[in-house]
Amino acid sequence: MLQKIQLEALEKIMQCQNNTQLNEIKVLYLGKKGPLQEVMQQLKTLSVEEKKEVGKKVNELKSLLESTIETKRIQLNEIALQQQLENEKIDLTLEADYYEQGNLHPLIKIQTELEDIFIAMGYDVAKIGEVELDLYNFERANIPHDHPARDMQDTFYIDDEKLLRTHTTAVQMRYLEEHANNLPIQVVCPGKVYRRDDDDATHSHQFMQIEGLVVKENVKMSDLKGTLLLMAQKMFGENQKIRFRPSYFQFTEPSVEVDVSCPFCGGKGCNVCKQTGWIEILGAGMVHPKVLEMAGIDSTKYSGFAFGAGIDRIAMLRYGVEDIRHFFTNDIRFLKSFNRFD
Ligand code: FA5
Ligand code: MG
């Protein structure tokens, strides 16, 4: 009887595939309703000698089954672990997830570079919003309502008083007013501007400018020239030349427009500079005394120079981009090609 139970039980233990089955077998043979309990029940009918003998055998079988089950459990755990390791194996040769890294927009790069050039010369950097009052964009720049000079900058109006600034000269006018009692002034103001220009290769309805403004005693046109020459050389190289051309702005007197010698042909003449050897990048001049007075600054004591440069134009020259619209269409292939300037 016991022999049969033993054989059967050992066989079943061997066949167990997992811990759940093993637990079932344990309950089946060693539990309260198992065959061994049954044998124990029947002991009553036996003699004292037989009871001793059979009882001992039952206990021996119990501990044999117990130890076999535990050994089997260790084996099963081992196998399960092996399988888990097998399944979760990490393939180190698999290609990892790749997250693309962005880079700075070319216009922001040029803006930052320009800021750094002027910071090194002791300038402050001022940034003010793109929605501006007519007062600062035009009136304080000596361009009254209904003055024909307004036609030079076709404007996006928001209402009668507010507009999208057409030039960073608006920031210049605010800065003059704010610092009228805190001179001297040395500041650059970069930012976006808007005009109802027709878009073409060198014009956009939205572009960027950087304004420069210096106000103190005895500022001269030659200071302006030296400053702009330095900026041009830092941006385009040591051999860079600049040229002042007489021009007209309501808010400067005298006024000039500044050309840089064409960086593509070194000034010899090519398609980009239309064979002239020069390319216009900015407008500038000595701050009009009337503008200083409107801001509350004594124009008999102080003078100033100012300039407004097109950041997009500078970026086009610097990177050899032939169409300004590339900067705004956000073609990822175009934008990615600027990594090399990091
Ligand atoms: C002005 O905006 C003056 N406020 C500049 C100035 C400032 C003069 C301070 C004197 C003192 P202008 O409209 O020429 O000037 O624009 C200046 C520069 O902005 C141009 O030389 C050019 O580089 C750039 N620019 C002008 N219009 C556009 C446009 N539609 N798209 C891209 N760049 C432009
Ligand atoms: Mg111009």
Side-chain angles (χ1 to χ4, degrees):
M1 179 71 177
L2 285 177
Q3 194 104 30
K4 192 173 164 236
I5 295 172
Q6 178 174 342
L7 280 176
E8 229 179 66
L10 289 178
E11 173 80 21
K12 283 190 177 151
I13 292 169
M14 285 308 141
Q15 281 167 359
C16 279
Q17 301 286 342
N18 52 46
N19 271 326
T20 320
Q21 288 176 2
L22 197 60
N23 288 338
E24 281 167 11
I25 300 297
K26 187 171 179 180
V27 172
L28 188 63
Y29 285 95
L30 300 175
K32 285 198 177 100
K33 289 176 185 158
L36 291 179
Q37 290 301 119
E38 226 171 276
V39 174
M40 293 299 263
Q41 295 285 323
Q42 289 164 11
L43 286 185
K44 290 178 241 162
T45 59
L46 300 177
S47 67
V48 177
E49 282 301 304
E50 282 171 329
K51 265 186 198 165
K52 259 192 181 171
E53 199 187 325
V54 177
K56 190 172 161 231
K57 283 198 171 145
V58 169
N59 281 336
E60 278 171 6
L61 181 53
K62 262 190 184 171
S63 53
L64 173 69
L65 294 184
E66 265 164 16
S67 66
T68 313
I69 285 172
E70 286 323 302
T71 313
K72 181 70 180 178
R73 193 185 300 284
I74 291 169
Q75 276 174 11
L76 285 175
N77 286 344
E78 187 77 8
I79 290 168
L81 180 65
Q82 284 305 327
Q83 267 169 2
Q84 193 185 1
L85 289 176
E86 198 68 29
N87 291 338
E88 293 178 1
K89 198 157 93 180
I90 298 166
D91 182 353
L92 293 175
T93 65
L94 260 184
E95 214 172 311
D97 285 344
Y98 176 69
Y99 295 100
E100 274 204 65
Q101 224 177 358
N103 55 293
L104 287 180
H105 191 280
L107 293 180
I108 298 299
K109 285 186 188 210
I110 295 292
Q111 178 191 335
T112 313
E113 226 177 284
L114 287 164
E115 283 176 19
D116 288 345
I117 290 171
F118 285 98
I119 288 169
M121 290 194 266
Y123 283 60
D124 290 328
V125 179
K127 292 172 186 167
I128 303 178
E130 294 155 29
V131 174
E132 189 46 273
L133 294 177
D134 185 285
L135 175 69
Y136 293 104
N137 197 83
F138 288 127
E139 300 263 327
R140 288 291 176 83
N142 196 24
I143 312 174
H145 275 288
D146 304 321
H147 193 282
R150 290 207 176 197
D151 296 342
M152 283 166 73
Q153 300 179 0
D154 210 350
T155 309
F156 290 108
Y157 280 94
I158 291 166
D159 57 31
D160 284 348
E161 287 177 359
K162 288 198 226 69
L163 45 76
L164 292 178
R165 67 183 180 197
T166 57
H167 51 181
T168 43
T169 299
V171 188
Q172 185 196 145
M173 297 313 155
R174 277 185 182 272
Y175 204 88
L176 275 174
E177 183 184 77
E178 273 167 30
H179 291 76
N181 297 316
N182 192 15
L183 300 172
I185 289 171
Q186 279 212 136
V187 69
V188 284
C189 324
K192 290 195 198 100
V193 300
Y194 303 83
R195 289 183 200 177
R196 291 166 48 144
D197 283 350
D198 290 328
D199 290 2
D200 64 25
T202 52
H203 292 82
S204 171
H205 58 281
Q206 175 208 305
F207 57 103
M208 293 187 80
Q209 287 187 336
I210 184 165
E211 192 88 359
L213 173 68
V214 172
V215 178
K216 50 187 174 190
E217 288 177 48
N218 291 322
V219 179
K220 295 183 287 299
M221 194 79 170
S222 53
D223 298 324
L224 171 63
K225 190 160 187 180
T227 306
L228 293 178
L229 179 62
L230 197 105
M231 177 185 96
Q233 288 177 340
K234 294 257 186 221
M235 282 316 287
F236 302 113
E238 284 300 310
N239 297 325
Q240 188 59 49
K241 294 196 203 66
I242 61 172
R243 176 172 84 168
F244 276 36
R245 254 187 308 110
S247 186
Y248 179 78
F249 298 103
Q250 283 283 116
F251 34 91
T252 46
E253 180 60 35
S255 301
V256 291
E257 277 182 310
V258 174
D259 302 333
V260 295
S261 59
C262 177
F264 293 103
C265 61
K268 289 191 200 76
C270 68
N271 283 341
V272 182
C273 60
K274 302 197 177 76
Q275 309 304 330
T276 63
W278 299 95
I279 293 175
E280 180 202 316
I281 57 161
L282 62 87
M286 300 306 289
V287 181
H288 199 296
K290 227 172 138 185
V291 167
L292 292 177
E293 294 293 340
M294 277 192 281
I297 295 170
D298 181 357
S299 67
T300 58
K301 189 169 175 209
Y302 295 100
S303 54
F305 70 67
F307 60 87
I311 290 181
D312 310 63
R313 295 273 173 88
I314 293 175
M316 287 171 78
L317 295 176
R318 176 61 182 276
Y319 296 139
V321 174
E322 79 295 348
D323 195 319
I324 193 170
R325 288 168 289 202
H326 286 311
F327 292 129
F328 306 107
T329 42
N330 284 335
D331 183 332
I332 201 84
R333 292 164 300 183
F334 171 78
L335 295 174
K336 263 179 157 179
S337 68
F338 289 90
N339 263 329
R340 62 185 186 275
F341 294 105
D342 277 346

